Amino acid sequence: MRQALSALIDELRRLKATGVKTVTVSESALVAIHRAVGSWRQEGAGLAPAAVAGAVVPAPAAATSPARVAAPEPIAAPPRPPPAPAVMLPVVAAASLPPAPTVTLPEGEKAARWAALQQRVAADPVCRENVRPGKKVVLGVGALDAKIMFVGEAPGAEEEIAGEPFVGPAGQLLTKMISAMGLKREQVYIGNIMNWRPQLPTIDGREQVGNRPPTEAEMRYCLPYLRAQIEVVQPELLVALGSTAAQGLIGFGAFKALGEVRGRWRDFNGRPLMITYHPSYILRNPSNRSKRMIWEDLLQVMARAELPISDRQRGYFLDK
Ligand code: URA
């Protein structure tokens, strides 16, 4: 439980770093947080009762201005939820994840190697245990001869249903970004650091609302599967979308803010790697300025991949 709460605080930190000032929390999520805090306190964590009140999620210690949460009325005295057992998650706690898998691919055609990898991931007991009933473990998708491989963070609600990365709102935006580059989604390869949707507590087994970034342990567990996909596809270029992907590829703690590392070429095991923002950043900040920042990174990717670039493309999102 401590881990889920730390993940929540990490996510608030991350949102704050990207400029998000307020976070709206549904009634059910507040109840889940309340219960989670309750069970954490029972575990002896001793969280201050103020944090349980629900009106304001406690800001991380380092934060200067706390992330405000628009709580449902009444703000001052939220209703106490009925006593409930601690939320039980059908997950392998990240801290107790077994060592990362060793992935050995068969020799042969790319399609056969990829199919073997998919079978391996789908049968991985840790991946399976971290996926809720009825949801899917997710491997990458796309052209096995793609020049460009995009790497995202983790499946979300839509992806764990479809079993395919980037099919929800962020995915639809990524597909548009790819077509702005003059490519079709089917011409690139799209993967994620994670093969499962990082879980958050839900009440009584209900559907998960919202996402959390994966923990380092979760990422370390899944990374061999991403490396194996790179080994199969052999893309010329990699594009990391957002902080999680960047951390997975260039190292944990390699940067504090994504702005420090985006927009410059790096190397990932001999392949050029461009780091840019995650499409969900644009969904949260749909200004031309934000779009232009990502677009400039993608123009560099296009140039390096020797894709044609028209004057029109060069000028996208320059208007204020
Ligand atoms: N965000 C990601 O990073 N990956 C997905 O597959 C979907 C949303």
Side-chain angles (χ1 to χ4, degrees):
M1 195 48 65
R2 179 192 300 250
Q3 198 184 0
L5 288 167
S6 305
L8 174 62
I9 291 169
D10 284 352
E11 173 66 349
L12 287 172
R13 273 205 187 106
R14 188 178 69 83
L15 289 173
K16 187 164 178 282
T18 61
V20 174
K21 295 275 187 299
T22 59
V23 180
T24 304
V25 181
S26 68
E27 178 70 38
S28 59
L30 271 181
V31 173
I33 293 168
H34 190 145
R35 286 185 184 175
V37 171
S39 70
W40 185 16
R41 292 171 76 207
Q42 281 160 26
E43 285 163 19
L47 198 72
V52 185
V56 176
V57 171
T64 48
S65 60
R68 266 193 58 242
V69 174
E73 296 296 328
I75 289 176
R80 285 188 80 78
V87 181
M88 297 302 290
L89 282 178
V91 293
V92 176
S96 67
L97 288 177
T102 303
V103 183
T104 313
L105 293 169
E107 293 301 319
E109 299 285 315
K110 284 186 175 190
R113 302 183 92 202
W114 189 88
L117 178 59
Q118 194 187 33
Q119 274 185 11
R120 171 86 164 74
V121 176
D124 182 311
V126 176
C127 293
R128 290 165 68 111
E129 261 183 282
N130 276 278
V131 169
R132 287 182 199 275
K135 303 296 192 291
K136 294 184 179 152
V137 174
V138 181
L139 190 67
V141 69
L144 297 184
D145 58 356
K147 265 188 174 183
I148 305 174
M149 181 185 288
F150 291 89
V151 179
E153 178 173 311
E158 292 84 355
E159 289 79 16
E160 67 169 358
I161 292 171
E164 181 174 330
F166 281 102
V167 292
Q172 286 156 23
L173 183 53
L174 176 62
T175 305
K176 281 189 190 161
M177 286 158 52
I178 292 166
S179 61
M181 295 169 75
L183 295 170
K184 294 199 177 84
R185 182 178 162 106
E186 304 73 49
Q187 291 176 288
V188 301
Y189 191 90
I190 304 173
N192 273 319
I193 298 287
M194 293 296 301
N195 302 103
W196 66 77
R197 180 185 185 193
Q199 293 195 14
L200 283 169
T202 66
I203 302 171
D204 304 331
R206 282 187 219 159
E207 287 292 316
Q208 175 171 328
V209 179
N211 296 309
R212 67 163 171 86
T215 63
E216 190 175 321
E218 288 172 325
M219 290 166 69
R220 286 191 192 285
Y221 188 86
C222 290
L223 271 168
Y225 290 128
L226 180 67
R227 289 201 200 95
Q229 290 170 84
I230 296 171
E231 191 188 324
V232 172
V233 178
Q234 301 274 335
E236 280 177 24
L237 306 173
L238 292 162
V239 183
L241 302 166
S243 290
T244 298
Q247 274 180 22
L249 293 175
I250 68 172
F252 299 95
F255 58 91
K256 286 207 175 85
L258 194 68
E260 291 166 27
V261 289
R262 70 149 268 263
R264 275 180 291 125
W265 286 105
R266 299 182 161 261
D267 174 88
F268 178 79
N269 293 347
R271 279 171 219 289
L273 163 68
M274 174 60 66
I275 297 172
T276 191
Y277 291 99
H278 193 281
S280 60
Y281 174 77
I282 299 290
L283 295 177
R284 290 193 301 271
N285 307 279
S287 66
N288 269 7
R289 190 170 165 274
S290 316
K291 290 178 189 166
R292 180 71 197 180
M293 281 197 297
I294 298 196
W295 184 242
E296 282 179 4
D297 301 343
L298 295 182
L299 282 173
Q300 291 196 61
V301 173
M302 290 168 72
R304 188 119 183 198
E306 298 181 345
L307 295 175
I309 307 180
S310 66
D311 287 346
R312 190 157 166 263
Q313 280 171 313
R314 280 188 207 288
Y316 283 168
F317 312 118
L318 277 177
D319 304 337
K320 292 281 163 218

